[in-house]
Amino acid sequence: QRRNSYNKDNLIEMQWYWSNIDRDETMLILKNCPDGSFIVRDSSEKNSFGSPYTLSVIKGGLIKSIRIFKQEQNNNTLYDIEKPCRFETVSKLISYYSRVSLKEYNHNLDVVLTYGVSKFKFGKTTEWNIDKLYSSFRDASEQYE
């Protein structure tokens, strides 16, 4: 139990973990990012047991959402994008796929996780707010002009 809460707390500190946002917000965030840009969010499915998180990555202008599975094995919690799960934390999973192409998982998805889009860049601290995102885009546009 203690280990699970440590992993969850550790995840919250990751700049690329956006917690509770939906698919539309994910599209807005990743829309104009370069290939390999990614975020991790809470699964939006009602029954997310066994798949608590979603990895979203952009490749060729398309955003691919990938389930992150969670499995209990020998009193350890493991995570992966396919079963059986191999990684002790979501961070270790992300680290692995920042070095190894996702084509290992899906042959059409030849990309590594190169840029974790930071929630802090958009002013997200504890609670996501779509108005802050629009505001930050508006401010950036005004500065550019």
Side-chain angles (χ1 to χ4, degrees):
Q1 190 71 19
R2 170 172 249 175
R3 181 178 198 146
N4 288 349
S5 66
Y6 169 75
N7 288 348
K8 178 78 171 160
D9 290 344
N10 187 35
L11 188 58
I12 288 169
E13 295 171 12
M14 298 297 136
Q15 65 174 355
W16 40 256
Y17 174 61
W18 286 67
S19 65
N20 190 23
I21 63 170
D22 65 24
R23 191 177 304 234
D24 292 339
E25 291 166 323
T26 300
M27 299 286 198
L28 272 174
I29 293 161
L30 292 175
K31 186 171 68 172
N32 294 314
C33 291
D35 283 2
S37 299
F38 71 95
I39 66 166
V40 173
R41 63 181 170 87
D42 294 345
S43 179
S44 56
E45 295 178 13
K46 297 280 185 263
N47 182 10
S48 63
F49 181 77
S51 179
Y53 307 111
T54 300
L55 166 64
S56 296
V57 62
I58 190 162
K59 167 77 165 111
L62 299 174
I63 297 167
K64 176 73 175 161
S65 293
I66 304 166
R67 289 182 192 185
I68 297 177
F69 295 103
K70 174 181 172 182
Q71 274 185 317
E72 300 295 328
Q73 287 180 352
N74 305 324
N75 293 328
N76 289 326
T77 302
L78 298 175
Y79 300 89
D80 208 337
I81 57 176
E82 55 192 348
K83 292 180 180 179
C85 296
R86 302 172 285 179
F87 303 98
E88 293 175 1
T89 65
V90 174
S91 297
K92 288 183 180 180
L93 163 84
I94 297 300
S95 177
Y96 177 79
Y97 284 108
S98 69
R99 299 183 311 274
V100 175
S101 173
L102 284 162
K103 73 179 178 182
E104 179 183 277
Y105 156 77
N106 176 339
H107 69 278
N108 292 322
L109 199 55
D110 189 6
V111 66
V112 294
L113 303 177
T114 52
Y115 176 66
V117 179
S118 173
K119 61 189 169 194
F120 304 117
K121 181 178 164 185
F122 290 104
K124 180 181 188 297
T125 50
T126 55
E127 193 59 38
W128 170 245
N129 183 337
I130 193 74
D131 294 330
K132 281 187 183 177
L133 178 61
Y134 289 131
S135 172
S136 112
F137 282 137
R138 188 184 63 241
D139 293 347
S141 176
E142 288 172 0
Q143 285 178 356
Y144 175 76
E145 289 173 3

PDB file of all heavy atoms in Angstrom, residues 106-131:
ATOM      1  N   ASN A 106       3.675  -1.137 -31.487  1.00  0.00           N
ATOM      2  CA  ASN A 106       2.818  -0.993 -32.661  1.00  0.00           C
ATOM      3  C   ASN A 106       3.714  -0.642 -33.851  1.00  0.00           C
ATOM      4  O   ASN A 106       4.282   0.450 -33.891  1.00  0.00           O
ATOM      5  CB  ASN A 106       1.783   0.110 -32.408  1.00  0.00           C
ATOM      6  CG  ASN A 106       0.903   0.406 -33.602  1.00  0.00           C
ATOM      7  OD1 ASN A 106       1.241   0.104 -34.743  1.00  0.00           O
ATOM      8  ND2 ASN A 106      -0.226   1.034 -33.337  1.00  0.00           N
ATOM      9  N   HIS A 107       3.836  -1.557 -34.815  1.00  0.00           N
ATOM     10  CA  HIS A 107       4.788  -1.358 -35.922  1.00  0.00           C
ATOM     11  C   HIS A 107       4.520  -0.101 -36.745  1.00  0.00           C
ATOM     12  O   HIS A 107       5.401   0.370 -37.459  1.00  0.00           O
ATOM     13  CB  HIS A 107       4.861  -2.602 -36.810  1.00  0.00           C
ATOM     14  CG  HIS A 107       3.621  -2.857 -37.611  1.00  0.00           C
ATOM     15  ND1 HIS A 107       2.519  -3.487 -37.088  1.00  0.00           N
ATOM     16  CD2 HIS A 107       3.317  -2.546 -38.892  1.00  0.00           C
ATOM     17  CE1 HIS A 107       1.580  -3.556 -38.010  1.00  0.00           C
ATOM     18  NE2 HIS A 107       2.024  -3.000 -39.111  1.00  0.00           N
ATOM     19  N   ASN A 108       3.321   0.479 -36.660  1.00  0.00           N
ATOM     20  CA  ASN A 108       3.008   1.720 -37.375  1.00  0.00           C
ATOM     21  C   ASN A 108       3.400   2.966 -36.590  1.00  0.00           C
ATOM     22  O   ASN A 108       3.236   4.072 -37.080  1.00  0.00           O
ATOM     23  CB  ASN A 108       1.510   1.793 -37.697  1.00  0.00           C
ATOM     24  CG  ASN A 108       1.100   0.764 -38.721  1.00  0.00           C
ATOM     25  OD1 ASN A 108       1.838   0.495 -39.657  1.00  0.00           O
ATOM     26  ND2 ASN A 108      -0.063   0.180 -38.524  1.00  0.00           N
ATOM     27  N   LEU A 109       3.872   2.780 -35.369  1.00  0.00           N
ATOM     28  CA  LEU A 109       4.153   3.913 -34.485  1.00  0.00           C
ATOM     29  C   LEU A 109       5.655   3.989 -34.197  1.00  0.00           C
ATOM     30  O   LEU A 109       6.107   3.782 -33.079  1.00  0.00           O
ATOM     31  CB  LEU A 109       3.346   3.751 -33.190  1.00  0.00           C
ATOM     32  CG  LEU A 109       3.133   4.974 -32.322  1.00  0.00           C
ATOM     33  CD1 LEU A 109       2.503   6.120 -33.115  1.00  0.00           C
ATOM     34  CD2 LEU A 109       2.251   4.635 -31.136  1.00  0.00           C
ATOM     35  N   ASP A 110       6.434   4.281 -35.255  1.00  0.00           N
ATOM     36  CA  ASP A 110       7.880   4.340 -35.124  1.00  0.00           C
ATOM     37  C   ASP A 110       8.293   5.723 -34.621  1.00  0.00           C
ATOM     38  O   ASP A 110       8.627   6.620 -35.394  1.00  0.00           O
ATOM     39  CB  ASP A 110       8.552   4.019 -36.457  1.00  0.00           C
ATOM     40  CG  ASP A 110      10.060   3.860 -36.320  1.00  0.00           C
ATOM     41  OD1 ASP A 110      10.561   3.882 -35.176  1.00  0.00           O
ATOM     42  OD2 ASP A 110      10.735   3.728 -37.353  1.00  0.00           O
ATOM     43  N   VAL A 111       8.230   5.886 -33.296  1.00  0.00           N
ATOM     44  CA  VAL A 111       8.569   7.166 -32.671  1.00  0.00           C
ATOM     45  C   VAL A 111       9.016   6.892 -31.240  1.00  0.00           C
ATOM     46  O   VAL A 111       8.565   5.932 -30.620  1.00  0.00           O
ATOM     47  CB  VAL A 111       7.356   8.139 -32.703  1.00  0.00           C
ATOM     48  CG1 VAL A 111       6.211   7.649 -31.850  1.00  0.00           C
ATOM     49  CG2 VAL A 111       7.757   9.559 -32.323  1.00  0.00           C
ATOM     50  N   VAL A 112       9.942   7.695 -30.750  1.00  0.00           N
ATOM     51  CA  VAL A 112      10.321   7.622 -29.337  1.00  0.00           C
ATOM     52  C   VAL A 112       9.709   8.825 -28.628  1.00  0.00           C
ATOM     53  O   VAL A 112       9.411   9.845 -29.253  1.00  0.00           O
ATOM     54  CB  VAL A 112      11.856   7.587 -29.113  1.00  0.00           C
ATOM     55  CG1 VAL A 112      12.462   6.309 -29.660  1.00  0.00           C
ATOM     56  CG2 VAL A 112      12.527   8.796 -29.700  1.00  0.00           C
ATOM     57  N   LEU A 113       9.520   8.698 -27.334  1.00  0.00           N
ATOM     58  CA  LEU A 113       8.973   9.797 -26.528  1.00  0.00           C
ATOM     59  C   LEU A 113      10.095  10.802 -26.296  1.00  0.00           C
ATOM     60  O   LEU A 113      10.977  10.578 -25.488  1.00  0.00           O
ATOM     61  CB  LEU A 113       8.426   9.255 -25.207  1.00  0.00           C
ATOM     62  CG  LEU A 113       7.362   8.166 -25.330  1.00  0.00           C
ATOM     63  CD1 LEU A 113       6.954   7.662 -23.951  1.00  0.00           C
ATOM     64  CD2 LEU A 113       6.155   8.661 -26.105  1.00  0.00           C
ATOM     65  N   THR A 114      10.060  11.890 -27.057  1.00  0.00           N
ATOM     66  CA  THR A 114      11.179  12.835 -27.008  1.00  0.00           C
ATOM     67  C   THR A 114      10.896  14.081 -26.174  1.00  0.00           C
ATOM     68  O   THR A 114      11.807  14.663 -25.612  1.00  0.00           O
ATOM     69  CB  THR A 114      11.582  13.290 -28.424  1.00  0.00           C
ATOM     70  OG1 THR A 114      10.422  13.760 -29.097  1.00  0.00           O
ATOM     71  CG2 THR A 114      12.193  12.157 -29.209  1.00  0.00           C
ATOM     72  N   TYR A 115       9.621  14.508 -26.111  1.00  0.00           N
ATOM     73  CA  TYR A 115       9.335  15.763 -25.420  1.00  0.00           C
ATOM     74  C   TYR A 115       8.063  15.627 -24.595  1.00  0.00           C
ATOM     75  O   TYR A 115       6.970  15.563 -25.156  1.00  0.00           O
ATOM     76  CB  TYR A 115       9.198  16.904 -26.432  1.00  0.00           C
ATOM     77  CG  TYR A 115       8.815  18.218 -25.812  1.00  0.00           C
ATOM     78  CD1 TYR A 115       9.687  18.884 -24.945  1.00  0.00           C
ATOM     79  CD2 TYR A 115       7.577  18.791 -26.050  1.00  0.00           C
ATOM     80  CE1 TYR A 115       9.331  20.089 -24.345  1.00  0.00           C
ATOM     81  CE2 TYR A 115       7.203  19.998 -25.463  1.00  0.00           C
ATOM     82  CZ  TYR A 115       8.088  20.632 -24.617  1.00  0.00           C
ATOM     83  OH  TYR A 115       7.736  21.810 -24.028  1.00  0.00           O
ATOM     84  N   GLY A 116       8.222  15.573 -23.280  1.00  0.00           N
ATOM     85  CA  GLY A 116       7.068  15.549 -22.388  1.00  0.00           C
ATOM     86  C   GLY A 116       6.537  16.956 -22.239  1.00  0.00           C
ATOM     87  O   GLY A 116       7.230  17.843 -21.731  1.00  0.00           O
ATOM     88  N   VAL A 117       5.327  17.197 -22.745  1.00  0.00           N
ATOM     89  CA  VAL A 117       4.752  18.545 -22.691  1.00  0.00           C
ATOM     90  C   VAL A 117       4.437  18.881 -21.237  1.00  0.00           C
ATOM     91  O   VAL A 117       3.691  18.161 -20.562  1.00  0.00           O
ATOM     92  CB  VAL A 117       3.494  18.654 -23.574  1.00  0.00           C
ATOM     93  CG1 VAL A 117       2.893  20.050 -23.486  1.00  0.00           C
ATOM     94  CG2 VAL A 117       3.827  18.310 -25.024  1.00  0.00           C
ATOM     95  N   SER A 118       5.011  19.956 -20.763  1.00  0.00           N
ATOM     96  CA  SER A 118       4.933  20.314 -19.346  1.00  0.00           C
ATOM     97  C   SER A 118       3.620  20.986 -18.984  1.00  0.00           C
ATOM     98  O   SER A 118       3.240  21.984 -19.587  1.00  0.00           O
ATOM     99  CB  SER A 118       6.096  21.232 -18.979  1.00  0.00           C
ATOM    100  OG  SER A 118       5.946  21.702 -17.657  1.00  0.00           O
ATOM    101  N   LYS A 119       2.976  20.446 -17.949  1.00  0.00           N
ATOM    102  CA  LYS A 119       1.756  21.087 -17.430  1.00  0.00           C
ATOM    103  C   LYS A 119       2.105  22.438 -16.814  1.00  0.00           C
ATOM    104  O   LYS A 119       1.274  23.328 -16.778  1.00  0.00           O
ATOM    105  CB  LYS A 119       1.077  20.185 -16.397  1.00  0.00           C
ATOM    106  CG  LYS A 119       1.933  19.888 -15.185  1.00  0.00           C
ATOM    107  CD  LYS A 119       1.317  18.822 -14.311  1.00  0.00           C
ATOM    108  CE  LYS A 119       2.305  18.355 -13.254  1.00  0.00           C
ATOM    109  NZ  LYS A 119       1.873  17.132 -12.610  1.00  0.00           N
ATOM    110  N   PHE A 120       3.326  22.612 -16.336  1.00  0.00           N
ATOM    111  CA  PHE A 120       3.738  23.867 -15.702  1.00  0.00           C
ATOM    112  C   PHE A 120       3.857  24.980 -16.732  1.00  0.00           C
ATOM    113  O   PHE A 120       3.625  26.141 -16.433  1.00  0.00           O
ATOM    114  CB  PHE A 120       5.052  23.678 -14.955  1.00  0.00           C
ATOM    115  CG  PHE A 120       4.991  22.571 -13.942  1.00  0.00           C
ATOM    116  CD1 PHE A 120       5.793  21.449 -14.070  1.00  0.00           C
ATOM    117  CD2 PHE A 120       4.105  22.631 -12.868  1.00  0.00           C
ATOM    118  CE1 PHE A 120       5.726  20.419 -13.147  1.00  0.00           C
ATOM    119  CE2 PHE A 120       4.034  21.601 -11.948  1.00  0.00           C
ATOM    120  CZ  PHE A 120       4.841  20.496 -12.094  1.00  0.00           C
ATOM    121  N   LYS A 121       4.208  24.619 -17.966  1.00  0.00           N
ATOM    122  CA  LYS A 121       4.319  25.592 -19.047  1.00  0.00           C
ATOM    123  C   LYS A 121       2.978  26.281 -19.291  1.00  0.00           C
ATOM    124  O   LYS A 121       2.916  27.431 -19.668  1.00  0.00           O
ATOM    125  CB  LYS A 121       4.774  24.861 -20.311  1.00  0.00           C
ATOM    126  CG  LYS A 121       4.957  25.725 -21.521  1.00  0.00           C
ATOM    127  CD  LYS A 121       5.457  24.869 -22.676  1.00  0.00           C
ATOM    128  CE  LYS A 121       5.285  25.594 -23.983  1.00  0.00           C
ATOM    129  NZ  LYS A 121       5.644  24.750 -25.111  1.00  0.00           N
ATOM    130  N   PHE A 122       1.884  25.562 -19.046  1.00  0.00           N
ATOM    131  CA  PHE A 122       0.551  26.108 -19.253  1.00  0.00           C
ATOM    132  C   PHE A 122      -0.058  26.661 -17.968  1.00  0.00           C
ATOM    133  O   PHE A 122      -1.229  26.970 -17.920  1.00  0.00           O
ATOM    134  CB  PHE A 122      -0.387  25.033 -19.827  1.00  0.00           C
ATOM    135  CG  PHE A 122      -0.055  24.660 -21.234  1.00  0.00           C
ATOM    136  CD1 PHE A 122       0.594  23.473 -21.514  1.00  0.00           C
ATOM    137  CD2 PHE A 122      -0.383  25.500 -22.287  1.00  0.00           C
ATOM    138  CE1 PHE A 122       0.900  23.122 -22.816  1.00  0.00           C
ATOM    139  CE2 PHE A 122      -0.076  25.157 -23.605  1.00  0.00           C
ATOM    140  CZ  PHE A 122       0.565  23.961 -23.857  1.00  0.00           C
ATOM    141  N   GLY A 123       0.746  26.736 -16.896  1.00  0.00           N
ATOM    142  CA  GLY A 123       0.244  27.283 -15.644  1.00  0.00           C
ATOM    143  C   GLY A 123      -0.590  26.288 -14.852  1.00  0.00           C
ATOM    144  O   GLY A 123      -1.308  26.665 -13.947  1.00  0.00           O
ATOM    145  N   LYS A 124      -0.477  24.997 -15.183  1.00  0.00           N
ATOM    146  CA  LYS A 124      -1.257  23.998 -14.450  1.00  0.00           C
ATOM    147  C   LYS A 124      -0.469  23.602 -13.205  1.00  0.00           C
ATOM    148  O   LYS A 124       0.653  23.159 -13.296  1.00  0.00           O
ATOM    149  CB  LYS A 124      -1.492  22.758 -15.304  1.00  0.00           C
ATOM    150  CG  LYS A 124      -2.299  21.700 -14.585  1.00  0.00           C
ATOM    151  CD  LYS A 124      -2.481  20.499 -15.481  1.00  0.00           C
ATOM    152  CE  LYS A 124      -3.433  19.515 -14.871  1.00  0.00           C
ATOM    153  NZ  LYS A 124      -3.010  18.950 -13.624  1.00  0.00           N
ATOM    154  N   THR A 125      -1.066  23.783 -12.069  1.00  0.00           N
ATOM    155  CA  THR A 125      -0.386  23.381 -10.844  1.00  0.00           C
ATOM    156  C   THR A 125      -1.139  22.222 -10.217  1.00  0.00           C
ATOM    157  O   THR A 125      -0.723  21.092 -10.306  1.00  0.00           O
ATOM    158  CB  THR A 125      -0.247  24.567  -9.868  1.00  0.00           C
ATOM    159  OG1 THR A 125      -1.526  25.185  -9.717  1.00  0.00           O
ATOM    160  CG2 THR A 125       0.749  25.579 -10.389  1.00  0.00           C
ATOM    161  N   THR A 126      -2.277  22.482  -9.614  1.00  0.00           N
ATOM    162  CA  THR A 126      -3.006  21.378  -9.004  1.00  0.00           C
ATOM    163  C   THR A 126      -4.306  21.081  -9.730  1.00  0.00           C
ATOM    164  O   THR A 126      -4.709  19.946  -9.838  1.00  0.00           O
ATOM    165  CB  THR A 126      -3.329  21.672  -7.522  1.00  0.00           C
ATOM    166  OG1 THR A 126      -4.036  22.912  -7.446  1.00  0.00           O
ATOM    167  CG2 THR A 126      -2.072  21.744  -6.698  1.00  0.00           C
ATOM    168  N   GLU A 127      -4.952  22.087 -10.250  1.00  0.00           N
ATOM    169  CA  GLU A 127      -6.252  21.881 -10.895  1.00  0.00           C
ATOM    170  C   GLU A 127      -6.189  22.368 -12.341  1.00  0.00           C
ATOM    171  O   GLU A 127      -5.773  23.482 -12.605  1.00  0.00           O
ATOM    172  CB  GLU A 127      -7.341  22.645 -10.122  1.00  0.00           C
ATOM    173  CG  GLU A 127      -8.752  22.278 -10.497  1.00  0.00           C
ATOM    174  CD  GLU A 127      -9.081  20.811 -10.286  1.00  0.00           C
ATOM    175  OE1 GLU A 127      -8.616  20.226  -9.296  1.00  0.00           O
ATOM    176  OE2 GLU A 127      -9.794  20.247 -11.130  1.00  0.00           O
ATOM    177  N   TRP A 128      -6.563  21.519 -13.257  1.00  0.00           N
ATOM    178  CA  TRP A 128      -6.566  21.874 -14.673  1.00  0.00           C
ATOM    179  C   TRP A 128      -7.692  22.848 -14.947  1.00  0.00           C
ATOM    180  O   TRP A 128      -8.801  22.691 -14.483  1.00  0.00           O
ATOM    181  CB  TRP A 128      -6.745  20.616 -15.510  1.00  0.00           C
ATOM    182  CG  TRP A 128      -7.008  20.898 -16.954  1.00  0.00           C
ATOM    183  CD1 TRP A 128      -8.136  20.626 -17.633  1.00  0.00           C
ATOM    184  CD2 TRP A 128      -6.116  21.517 -17.880  1.00  0.00           C
ATOM    185  NE1 TRP A 128      -8.018  21.027 -18.937  1.00  0.00           N
ATOM    186  CE2 TRP A 128      -6.786  21.581 -19.113  1.00  0.00           C
ATOM    187  CE3 TRP A 128      -4.838  22.035 -17.794  1.00  0.00           C
ATOM    188  CZ2 TRP A 128      -6.215  22.134 -20.241  1.00  0.00           C
ATOM    189  CZ3 TRP A 128      -4.273  22.579 -18.919  1.00  0.00           C
ATOM    190  CH2 TRP A 128      -4.954  22.620 -20.127  1.00  0.00           C
ATOM    191  N   ASN A 129      -7.404  23.852 -15.766  1.00  0.00           N
ATOM    192  CA  ASN A 129      -8.406  24.844 -16.115  1.00  0.00           C
ATOM    193  C   ASN A 129      -8.210  25.229 -17.581  1.00  0.00           C
ATOM    194  O   ASN A 129      -7.206  25.832 -17.942  1.00  0.00           O
ATOM    195  CB  ASN A 129      -8.239  26.069 -15.201  1.00  0.00           C
ATOM    196  CG  ASN A 129      -9.293  27.123 -15.459  1.00  0.00           C
ATOM    197  OD1 ASN A 129      -9.878  27.184 -16.525  1.00  0.00           O
ATOM    198  ND2 ASN A 129      -9.510  27.968 -14.477  1.00  0.00           N
ATOM    199  N   ILE A 130      -9.172  24.878 -18.434  1.00  0.00           N
ATOM    200  CA  ILE A 130      -9.066  25.133 -19.870  1.00  0.00           C
ATOM    201  C   ILE A 130      -8.951  26.634 -20.143  1.00  0.00           C
ATOM    202  O   ILE A 130      -8.278  27.050 -21.084  1.00  0.00           O
ATOM    203  CB  ILE A 130     -10.245  24.494 -20.649  1.00  0.00           C
ATOM    204  CG1 ILE A 130      -9.972  24.480 -22.160  1.00  0.00           C
ATOM    205  CG2 ILE A 130     -11.559  25.193 -20.356  1.00  0.00           C
ATOM    206  CD1 ILE A 130      -8.964  23.474 -22.597  1.00  0.00           C
ATOM    207  N   ASP A 131      -9.567  27.473 -19.299  1.00  0.00           N
ATOM    208  CA  ASP A 131      -9.468  28.922 -19.472  1.00  0.00           C
ATOM    209  C   ASP A 131      -8.027  29.397 -19.359  1.00  0.00           C
ATOM    210  O   ASP A 131      -7.615  30.320 -20.058  1.00  0.00           O
ATOM    211  CB  ASP A 131     -10.345  29.660 -18.456  1.00  0.00           C
ATOM    212  CG  ASP A 131     -11.827  29.390 -18.687  1.00  0.00           C
ATOM    213  OD1 ASP A 131     -12.212  29.164 -19.860  1.00  0.00           O
ATOM    214  OD2 ASP A 131     -12.589  29.392 -17.707  1.00  0.00           O
TER     215      ASP A 131
END
